[in-house]
Amino acid sequence: MADQPLLKVENLRIELVTRAGVAPVIDNLSFELGHGENISFVGESGCGKSMTALAIMGLLPEGIGRIASGSILFDGEDLTTASPERLRDIRGNEISMIFQEPMTSLNPVYTVGEQIAEVLRAHQGLSKRAAWDMAIELLDAVRIPNAKGRVSDYPFQMSGGQRQRVMIAMALACKPKILIADEPTTALDVTVQAQIFDLLRDLRRDTGTSIIMITHDMGAVAEMAERMIVMYAGRNAEIGPVEQIIEHPRHPYTRGLISCVPHIVANLTAERHELTEVPGIVPSLRDFGQNRCLFASRCDRRSDQCLTERPPTREFENGQKSDCWHAEEL
């Protein structure tokens, strides 16, 4: 139903087997994605953004990662209990993913046309000829010049931006309901980044596909998303409308991420803004899951309570939520 979220993740806990034992890489994560909505996961590397995406896709590393508890409801169906066969039907068909590095995701010994056509034959049952013709149409749709000629190219014959467009074409081949874009503009220059963002916006408008964008770039979030989920050490730090959070962040970590992007603040105020950085690094995986604020060691607002108790979720106007003991003071 349109009034129900397309994707609803509740109290998700993902555990990884490490040499030091079992660690909760995702700890009690909850969020929703509406029909046709664009949300972003933002945070430093190692905070669990890509791991969340892999769990949604049913691609957690076998024998190493597992969903320990919680649910992932897609159109009302719990993917955590779905069979491997059902997940294969959904993956690439109803939920697709653009992986971070296209050169390692594309097979170097097959042409880009063959790789796009394979998706169409597997999920749509198209003939070889029909799948090839559709591959040309998809390359044209993602604005690759001379699509009919480039469909027979191998990945190494294309630029980084063109390979990323091929990945987008593959992800959209079956007109998925959800598109997960994991750092879709990594290693691309700013001009190509802008082109990829324009392409994603146009495709979302034309197809109605919901988009989950994963990034560490707060500027990209401000440009692309309606709502954002700030993740830290496998947990929600803050969630809410992008404009609301950028104008009034309620978590010290969010404030730190925003302060690293001076042009965001410059667009909102006329005051000069000193560029700062978030001190320290993300804690080790063995520290994930501890009953305290995992950002406390990097926070200038920490109190004794932050070091001994996990902060509750505080709710504010417009659906903004923050997991911080001092959220009301910010």
Side-chain angles (χ1 to χ4, degrees):
M1 297 177 61
D3 58 341
Q4 296 297 319
L6 178 61
L7 182 72
K8 185 174 183 179
V9 175
E10 288 189 299
N11 304 320
L12 183 65
R13 181 182 175 94
I14 301 173
E15 296 178 344
L16 290 183
V17 178
T18 70
R19 293 180 180 178
V22 177
V25 65
I26 299 296
D27 188 12
N28 200 39
L29 180 68
S30 298
F31 69 93
E32 295 181 356
L33 174 68
H35 293 261
E37 187 181 20
N38 188 345
I39 67 172
S40 283
F41 279 90
V42 63
E44 296 166 281
S45 297
C47 285
K49 305 184 302 297
S50 295
M51 191 63 66
T52 302
L54 293 177
I56 295 171
M57 294 289 291
L59 291 174
L60 291 176
E62 189 173 355
I64 299 175
R66 74 182 186 97
I67 296 177
S69 60
S71 61
I72 302 173
L73 299 176
F74 170 62
D75 255 354
E77 178 180 1
D78 193 350
L79 301 185
T80 64
T81 59
S83 66
E85 293 76 21
R86 175 58 180 151
L87 289 175
R88 279 195 295 270
D89 289 339
I90 293 174
R91 189 186 307 127
N93 190 27
E94 298 183 74
I95 305 177
S96 291
M97 185 168 177
I98 305 170
F99 292 93
Q100 188 169 135
E101 177 46 61
M103 195 58 187
T104 58
S105 301
L106 293 169
N107 193 320
V109 301
Y110 291 98
T111 67
V112 296
E114 289 172 320
Q115 295 183 63
I116 297 173
E118 181 184 10
V119 175
L120 293 163
R121 293 197 302 269
H123 290 293
Q124 301 293 308
L126 298 185
S127 67
K128 188 173 183 179
R129 179 72 258 175
W132 185 262
D133 290 341
M134 180 60 70
I136 296 173
E137 291 183 21
L138 286 164
L139 289 180
D140 185 63
V142 296
R143 303 171 190 167
I144 290 184
N146 185 24
K148 192 171 183 179
R150 302 304 302 274
V151 72
S152 297
D153 283 356
Y154 291 88
F156 72 88
Q157 294 176 288
M158 293 185 152
S159 68
Q162 289 172 333
R163 288 194 293 266
Q164 194 62 281
R165 291 169 190 266
V166 171
M167 291 297 297
I168 294 172
M170 291 177 64
L172 294 173
C174 299
K175 299 180 180 179
K177 296 179 180 179
I178 297 176
L179 175 65
I180 301 173
D182 189 358
E183 301 279 7
T185 57
T186 296
L188 301 180
D189 62 59
V190 292
T191 302
V192 178
Q193 286 183 28
Q195 294 172 354
I196 294 298
F197 287 153
D198 287 342
L199 175 60
L200 290 174
R201 276 192 292 263
D202 291 346
L203 291 171
R204 175 192 169 206
R205 182 194 64 227
D206 296 340
T207 65
T209 297
S210 300
I211 298 177
I212 299 175
M213 190 176 72
I214 297 171
T215 183
H216 61 267
D217 184 353
M218 192 65 78
V221 175
E223 183 176 350
M224 286 293 296
E226 299 155 10
R227 287 192 304 121
M228 61 190 291
I229 300 165
V230 182
M231 288 190 67
Y232 187 77
R235 300 175 179 175
N236 280 344
E238 189 163 5
I239 184 171
V242 170
E243 185 175 352
Q244 174 79 11
I245 290 180
I246 289 178
E247 290 184 346
H248 196 171
R250 293 283 189 172
H251 196 287
Y253 181 58
T254 310
R255 295 175 69 90
L257 292 177
I258 293 174
S259 70
C260 294
V261 190
H263 66 273
I264 291 182
V265 178
N267 287 336
L268 296 175
T269 70
E271 299 177 4
R272 292 180 61 85
H273 175 66
E274 182 180 353
L275 182 63
T276 60
E277 64 179 23
V278 182
I281 59 174
V282 177
S284 168
L285 190 60
R286 63 175 176 268
D287 294 326
F288 281 34
Q290 293 190 11
N291 189 33
R292 60 181 177 85
C293 176
L294 297 178
F295 186 67
S297 63
R298 307 173 66 183
C299 183
D300 59 3
R301 291 178 174 269
R302 65 179 175 270
S303 60
D304 291 342
Q305 193 172 30
C306 301
L307 300 172
T308 58
E309 298 180 54
R310 180 168 178 165
T313 299
R314 307 287 179 90
E315 297 191 19
F316 300 91
E317 60 182 12
N318 298 327
Q320 185 178 5
K321 300 178 182 179
S322 175
D323 286 26
C324 176
W325 284 112
H326 304 286
E328 295 177 354
E329 304 168 11
L330 297 175

